[in-house]
Amino acid sequence: MPTQPDADTIRVLVASDNHVGVHERDSRRSDDAWKSFHEIMCLARERDVDFVLLGGDTFHDNKPSRKSLYQVMRSMRMNCYGDKPCELEMLSDASENFDGVYGRAFNYANYEDENINVAIPIFAIAGNHDDLGGELQLAALDLLQVSGLVNFFGKVVESDKISVKPVLLQKGRTKLALYGISNVRDERLFRTFRDGGVKFFRPNQQKENWFNLLTVHQNHHKYSETNYLPENVLPDFMDLVVWGHEHECLIDPRFNPEMNFHVMQPGSSVATSLVPGEAVEKHVAILQITGKEFQSEAIPLKTVRPFVMKEIVLQDEPGMKKIAKKNDNRADVTEHLIKIVENMIQEANKGWLQKQEPDDEGNLPKPPLPIIRLRVEHSAPEGGKFDIENPQRFSGRFSDTVANITDVVQFHRKKTATRKLKDGTELPEESVLAQLAMDNVKIEKLVREYLSSQSLKFYPQAQFGEAIDLYVTRDDNHAISTFLAENMDSMVKETYRRAKEQGFEEEEIDIQGIFDDIRTRREEAFAAGRLKNKKKGKLKPRPSHWDSDLDGSWSDQPAAIEFSDEGENQSKNQQGDQDQDSDMESKAPTPAPAPTRGRGRARGGTGRASTTAANSSRSLASKATTSKTTNARGGRKKDKDDDVIMIDDDDEQPEETPPARVSRTSARSQTKRGGASMTSRTQPSRQADTRQMRLDFSQTATQTRSKTGQNQTEELSDDIISDSDGDDAFEPAPPRRR
């Protein structure tokens, strides 16, 4: 690369997967992650870089502990604030790059804030560990951003429609277009790229003079057909791709001749699991970008705890075949393995000391306890046997010399034949079982595999799996109950709408057929990303008449959760029949409200003590033939924008109360006396319930969505962003063809 003055060179420190907070409950490794992160921040200040680029998973948890937040914010403030002026000029509209779902209070980069002195700005994307969550869809990086420590870019709001707009930076004659895509579930992102749902914007002025750098956080290796992000789906105008999420450090840029760009994989800065990829020496990189050329300098991290991993075949070790012929050879096998582990400990300490620098007195620091992992394949030769010791007991021998005192050794046997169950079913290979044992298995995937062999007649399978995933991984205690209530409500509404459109005086209603059709369409909408589970809402105040001893905990009731309007906003992205579900009640005329007792249902109350899903379906006939019942139901209609589901207090109570509960019986009798007039008004409806009716509905052409127009792939535009003197640095996105 030709020599250029420093005024034209942008220096970037690149790191990824810091996982601050991992092993926080381990007394020996609890501080490993934040110490390595602090070293990275110190390197940024010592090397006088222009900015730091973090490729995701800054935190190990999307709800980091106070200790993790404190250490990260402390390191950033100590090293990134200062009087040194930042020489980067932002040419793009910062509100286009840093706005979140609900916008942010500061629509500019942190180093442009006149109230704080930022010497080294940090640009970061979110990973799969510190991803968005909660009621407002905020990530931990949002807290750092609003504190003025980080510029959080590349946030993905809709996974099926992703617009990637670059942060345009300039220093001297060097122009940098910084792109970022925060983590999206790999299968969904693969489908979005395939369907042309990802659009990259480019400057249309001097676009050949821009150095284009993309940061992603996805699977790099092909674990399955769709569970990764192929390099060949990325735009070929990129110059460098920084790939987060994979922990193996491949810091030297690798050239992809097919796409004509380089790929750099920084890897993690701390070992999160005992796998070979984590044992590779940890590095960060400093990029020097001048014009369209760049250089990369790999810098090894000195504070990383040493990690040595080795795998042996026991019968191939010297003298072990002879020992296998002996009876009761446990002591000999254990002694041989102890020698191997001791040599690994010495190797780890020696390698760590070689990277350290002596102090003023010439003394080297004391090495930390290393992480040691020995995998032993202990299949014995023919006619022999290896008597091995318990792995935890063996690991306990090194409690004073290693950091991982419970899993130093791992024993396994060589696979000899395919294992089968008693019924003849073949079990998966050991590699598949090992993959399932990893901590990155999704609950949703396990549920999907289980439900694929079942027959769900009411609820959509994929959305059900995601609700369970939210319950387990996001601590959303109401995810499943909300999913069930929302789908039940949608089913009943759609059934009412179809019955009203088709008429049913002389025909029967095919309830199961309608449910099957609605479930199928909801599954298609969820697969396309247009239908999402509602996020955790707010807890309503407990009513004064609520008795927790008799009625249960108020917080466990579905009616106790009040959702914000964000649940309604997703209906705007749904087409055809999904829009009809949300707009059904706004289209129907609202009759004059009828007096009702207590709290009625959102779709209307009839004054009955309890109502089941089957009774709601059978009451369709009475709704059409009895005007009084129609008025009673219509009197409790909710507005289109009202997301509160009203549920009767007695919904969970049986028709007949046991005599032992005197208080409930007396209360119920008073309620029946108070609602006598309502009972007389709904009597025709009860008589109509005895008729069994059946209607055969067919979906009209206007209700059927054209799939061919939905998944059209559009070519990426080459001139969408403009860095001219106009007000907006971006041109509007091209309209989506249908």
Side-chain angles (χ1 to χ4, degrees), residues 252-270:
D252 296 327
R254 173 183 55 82
F255 182 70
N256 185 332
E258 177 187 358
M259 304 304 298
N260 198 32
F261 56 60
H262 288 80
V263 179
M264 172 190 291
Q265 184 174 300
S268 64
S269 59
V270 63

Side-chain angles (χ1 to χ4, degrees), residues 125-145:
I125 65 172
N128 59 306
H129 281 262
D130 53 4
D131 57 343
L132 282 65
E135 180 185 356
L136 298 180
Q137 285 294 284
L138 297 176
L141 292 179
D142 283 299
L143 301 180
L144 302 182
Q145 179 173 253

Side-chain angles (χ1 to χ4, degrees), residues 375 377 379 410-419 427-438:
R375 298 190 76 245
E377 197 280 295
S379 299
Q410 180 186 23
F411 295 107
H412 66 98
R413 291 180 179 274
K414 181 173 61 176
K415 181 182 177 182
T416 56
T418 302
R419 296 177 296 170
L427 292 175
E429 298 181 358
E430 290 185 359
S431 60
V432 177
L433 295 177
Q435 181 70 17
L436 292 176
M438 295 175 63

Side-chain angles (χ1 to χ4, degrees), residues 314 320 323-324 326-338 385-391 393-394 397 411:
L314 196 54
M320 295 307 295
I323 293 178
K326 295 174 56 177
N327 294 327
D328 193 16
N329 55 15
R330 174 177 295 187
D332 296 325
V333 173
T334 302
E335 181 181 359
H336 181 79
L337 296 179
I338 289 176
K385 179 182 179 182
F386 289 121
D387 189 6
I388 60 175
E389 191 175 18
N390 180 273
R393 184 180 304 166
F394 178 87
R397 298 174 181 268
F411 295 107

Side-chain angles (χ1 to χ4, degrees), residues 578-699:
Q578 293 301 329
D579 286 333
Q580 294 175 0
D581 289 343
S582 61
D583 297 338
M584 177 186 62
E585 292 188 338
S586 63
K587 296 178 181 179
T590 304
T596 55
R597 61 173 181 84
R599 295 185 294 120
R601 294 187 181 274
R603 59 180 180 267
T606 61
R608 301 175 66 176
S610 64
T611 306
T612 62
N615 291 337
S616 299
S617 303
R618 290 195 301 268
S619 64
L620 293 176
S622 63
K623 180 181 177 181
T625 57
T626 307
S627 59
K628 292 184 180 180
T629 305
T630 303
N631 293 334
R633 292 185 179 271
R636 299 292 295 176
K637 292 287 185 179
K638 66 174 183 178
D639 295 334
K640 177 180 178 181
D641 295 333
D642 186 8
D643 198 27
V644 181
I645 301 176
M646 305 296 293
I647 299 181
D648 289 340
D649 291 337
D650 299 333
D651 281 345
E652 303 295 334
Q653 300 175 1
E655 290 285 348
E656 298 180 2
T657 306
R661 299 186 179 182
V662 180
S663 60
R664 283 198 174 191
T665 306
S666 60
R668 187 177 303 278
S669 62
Q670 294 175 3
T671 304
K672 290 183 178 180
R673 288 195 298 269
S677 59
M678 180 62 67
T679 304
S680 62
R681 295 177 62 183
T682 57
Q683 185 64 27
S685 174
R686 295 187 178 182
Q687 296 176 358
D689 285 345
T690 59
R691 296 192 314 172
Q692 181 178 1
M693 307 184 67
R694 185 174 187 84
L695 276 176
D696 187 12
F697 295 101
S698 61
Q699 194 171 8

Side-chain angles (χ1 to χ4, degrees), residues 29-206:
R29 294 189 282 172
S30 60
D31 297 333
D32 288 1
W34 73 258
K35 286 182 177 179
S36 297
F37 181 80
H38 182 65
E39 180 187 0
I40 295 172
M41 293 294 102
C42 292
L43 282 172
R45 177 174 51 85
E46 294 170 1
R47 295 301 187 99
D48 193 24
V49 299
D50 291 302
F51 70 90
V52 177
L53 178 62
L54 300 180
D57 281 354
T58 303
F59 295 97
H60 186 69
D61 193 352
N62 68 341
K63 298 178 182 177
S65 65
R66 297 178 185 177
K67 176 183 177 181
S68 299
L69 281 172
Y70 170 79
Q71 295 294 354
V72 168
M73 298 174 75
R74 167 180 168 270
S75 297
M76 289 180 174
R77 183 169 179 177
M78 289 176 59
N79 297 283
C80 297
Y81 281 8
D83 296 331
K84 182 181 79 72
C86 182
E87 301 179 18
L88 297 174
E89 179 185 2
M90 176 168 287
L91 302 180
S92 59
D93 184 2
S95 63
E96 295 279 352
N97 303 125
F98 306 131
D99 270 358
V101 180
Y102 299 95
R104 58 190 293 262
F106 311 102
N107 57 349
Y108 45 81
N110 64 341
Y111 67 90
E112 294 181 336
D113 193 335
E114 59 183 10
N115 298 311
I116 55 178
N117 293 328
V118 177
I120 304 175
I122 300 175
F123 293 88
I125 65 172
N128 59 306
H129 281 262
D130 53 4
D131 57 343
L132 282 65
E135 180 185 356
L136 298 180
Q137 285 294 284
L138 297 176
L141 292 179
D142 283 299
L143 301 180
L144 302 182
Q145 179 173 253
V146 78
S147 302
L149 297 170
V150 165
N151 300 293
F152 180 19
F153 75 111
K155 179 181 288 189
V156 177
V157 180
E158 299 179 75
S159 59
D160 61 332
K161 186 179 180 182
I162 303 176
S163 297
V164 187
K165 296 183 178 181
V167 179
L168 301 180
L169 304 172
Q170 182 173 356
K171 180 183 177 183
R173 292 178 296 174
T174 300
K175 298 181 178 181
L176 172 64
L178 180 61
Y179 296 82
I181 304 178
S182 294
N183 178 264
V184 181
R185 194 171 61 181
D186 289 283
E187 296 87 348
R188 184 163 292 176
L189 185 62
F190 184 95
R191 183 170 57 248
T192 305
F193 268 101
R194 181 197 62 193
D195 297 340
V198 182
K199 290 184 173 59
F200 288 83
F201 291 74
R202 295 188 65 185
N204 62 2
Q205 299 292 330
Q206 302 176 348

